[in-house]
Amino acid sequence: MNYQKILAVIEPELSTQKSLARAIEIANINGASVTAFLTIYDFSYEMTTMLSMDERENMRQAVIDDRTDWLVNLVSEQFSTQGVSIDVKIVWHNRPYESIIYEVIDKGYDLIVKGTQQHDTLKSVIFTPTDWHIMRKAPVPVLLVKEHDWPIGGQIIAAVNVGVDVEEHISLNEEITKQALHFAKLLSSNVHLVNSYPGTPANIVIEIPEFDPTTYDESAKQHHEQCMHIHSEKHHISKEHCHVDIGLPEDVIPKYANRLDAELVVLGTVGRQGISAALIGNTAEHVIDKLNCDVLAIKPHGFVSPVKC
C-alpha cells in the first residue's frame, strides 16, 4: 500500500496529462518514483508489407523517436520543478491495456494512474475500452483521474459491502478501507464508509401476498447497520462517517459522493472475465460510470491477472 513505483499512463497528443500530474502529487507525498508510460502503434505499419524489414523497422523507429522527443519535452517543460524522479518509456504495441499490464507485472509497479476523458458537450466522463480492460485485468490498484484538485481536509469514500458473509467480500472490505485510510492520511482527509443494501424483491411481494416488505426492509437495514458498526469500530471510523442506505450500489454510492463532494471513491472490482462480464457487467463499472471524482479500483486478495507475459 505504500506506493513506491507508480505507472502514469500517458494519453497521446494531449498537452495536459492529468495522470502524470496526479502521480507526481502522490509521489511527492509518498517519496515514490514515477514512470510516464506511453503506448503507440501506427496502423499504417500494417500496410507496409511491400517494404523491406529494414525499411519497416526504420519507419517504426522514426515514430518511436518522434513520440519520445514529444514526451521528454512535455515532462521537462511541465514537471521538471516537481522534485520527483520521472522516467519516460515508450512501447510499440497495438493493445495499450496489454502493454500497460505487461509493464506492471515485469517491473513490479504498485499503482497505475490513468486519466479519464471528458465528453465536451455532455460534461460527463467517457471511459474507453482501455480503461475497462485495465480495471478488470490489472493486478494492482488502478486510480482513474478526473479534472479536479485534491484539497487538504477533503472527503474520501470507501464503498464497502458489509452485510455479506462471503470471505472474498470480507477481505475486499478490509483492503478497500485500508486503502481509503492510507490516502486519507496522505491527504489529511476524512474517510466515510458507504454501504448499500437491496430492498424487498418485487416478485416476492407479488407471489406471497402476506409478505410484509416494511418488516423485511427494516430487518435488512438493522443487519447492515450492525455489520457496519463492527467494521467501522475495527478501523476507528466514527459513526457519523458511516452511511447505510437502501438501493443499488450504482445509485447509493454516487449519491453520497455528490452529497459529501468526495475527492476519491475507493471500491472493489471482482475482475469478471468472459461471457459473465459481457452479460452481467460489473457492479463497480456501473458505479464508476456515475461518479464525478477520482476512483481507486481495488482487486480482491490473490487476484491473478488473465494477461500473461
Side-chain angles (χ1 to χ4, degrees):
M1 200 186 301
N2 184 22
Y3 303 122
Q4 290 301 300
K5 290 186 72 175
I6 302 173
L7 191 75
V9 178
I10 300 298
E11 302 295 335
E13 312 301 339
L14 294 183
S15 57
T16 305
Q17 295 291 334
K18 291 181 285 189
S19 63
L20 189 52
R22 187 71 89 225
I24 289 168
E25 199 174 344
I26 298 167
N28 260 322
I29 304 168
N30 238 21
S33 64
V34 174
T35 297
F37 185 83
L38 173 63
T39 305
I40 57 169
Y41 192 80
D42 188 338
F43 282 96
S44 63
Y45 184 75
E46 307 280 2
M47 309 301 174
T48 59
T49 49
M50 291 171 65
L51 300 177
S52 69
M53 284 297 290
D54 284 349
E55 288 169 326
R56 280 164 62 88
E57 181 56 34
N58 288 340
M59 174 192 160
R60 189 178 75 100
Q61 194 58 49
V63 176
I64 292 172
D65 291 345
D66 175 68
R67 292 287 79 199
T68 303
D69 290 344
W70 169 78
L71 185 52
V72 167
N73 287 335
L74 184 145
V75 168
S76 64
E77 287 169 11
Q78 296 184 23
F79 302 104
S80 60
T81 60
Q82 300 285 342
V84 171
S85 164
I86 305 171
D87 291 327
V88 167
K89 183 158 186 180
I90 316 284
V91 171
W92 181 275
H93 201 290
N94 63 353
R95 288 187 177 177
Y97 81 89
E98 285 189 356
S99 68
I100 291 162
I101 295 172
Y102 289 155
E103 184 71 10
V104 165
I105 294 170
D106 187 42
K107 298 293 192 296
Y109 286 91
D110 308 309
L111 176 69
I112 298 169
V113 184
K114 170 107 173 45
T116 56
Q117 296 176 12
Q118 191 96 14
H119 191 292
D120 292 336
T121 52
L122 299 178
K123 294 299 177 193
S124 61
V125 171
I126 303 165
F127 292 100
T128 65
T130 298
D131 296 340
W132 294 127
H133 278 301
I134 294 170
M135 270 190 289
R136 286 175 183 157
K137 298 169 183 175
V140 297
V142 178
L143 178 63
L144 293 172
V145 177
K146 307 192 181 178
E147 199 71 79
H148 69 96
D149 294 329
W150 274 4
I152 297 295
Q155 314 303 323
I156 293 174
I157 287 176
V160 292
N161 184 9
V162 292
V164 182
D165 193 19
V166 177
E167 183 53 43
E168 186 183 51
H169 282 292
I170 294 167
S171 169
L172 201 49
N173 288 336
E174 290 294 307
E175 187 62 24
I176 289 165
T177 307
K178 286 174 184 174
Q179 292 275 1
L181 288 166
H182 174 69
F183 273 96
K185 188 176 179 184
L186 291 181
L187 301 167
S188 303
S189 299
N190 305 298
V191 171
H192 294 257
L193 298 173
V194 173
N195 185 93
S196 67
Y197 64 94
T200 307
N203 63 315
I204 292 181
V205 179
I206 294 165
E207 291 168 14
I208 311 172
E210 64 273 18
F211 185 84
D212 180 5
T214 308
T215 304
Y216 176 90
D217 288 347
E218 187 56 37
S219 173
K221 181 182 179 183
Q222 287 178 5
H223 169 67
H224 282 82
E225 283 180 342
Q226 186 180 5
C227 293
M228 177 69 96
H229 178 68
I230 293 167
H231 183 73
S232 63
E233 279 215 321
K234 180 179 178 181
H235 294 282
H236 310 292
I237 295 170
S238 69
K239 190 177 179 181
E240 293 73 38
H241 287 178
C242 295
H243 313 278
V244 175
D245 208 341
I246 191 167
L248 296 169
E250 52 261 42
D251 297 324
V252 172
I253 296 165
K255 179 174 87 173
Y256 281 95
N258 288 333
R259 186 179 294 178
L260 297 166
D261 192 21
E263 280 71 58
L264 175 67
V265 170
V266 184
L267 45 71
T269 167
V270 294
R272 276 200 197 95
Q273 303 298 325
I275 290 173
S276 65
L279 296 179
I280 303 166
N282 191 323
T283 300
E285 292 170 9
H286 296 307
V287 174
I288 289 163
D289 251 343
K290 295 185 177 181
L291 291 171
N292 272 321
C293 60
D294 286 11
V295 176
L296 183 67
I298 306 294
K299 292 294 188 318
H301 183 69
F303 172 83
V304 177
S305 174
V307 176
K308 300 290 182 257
C309 292

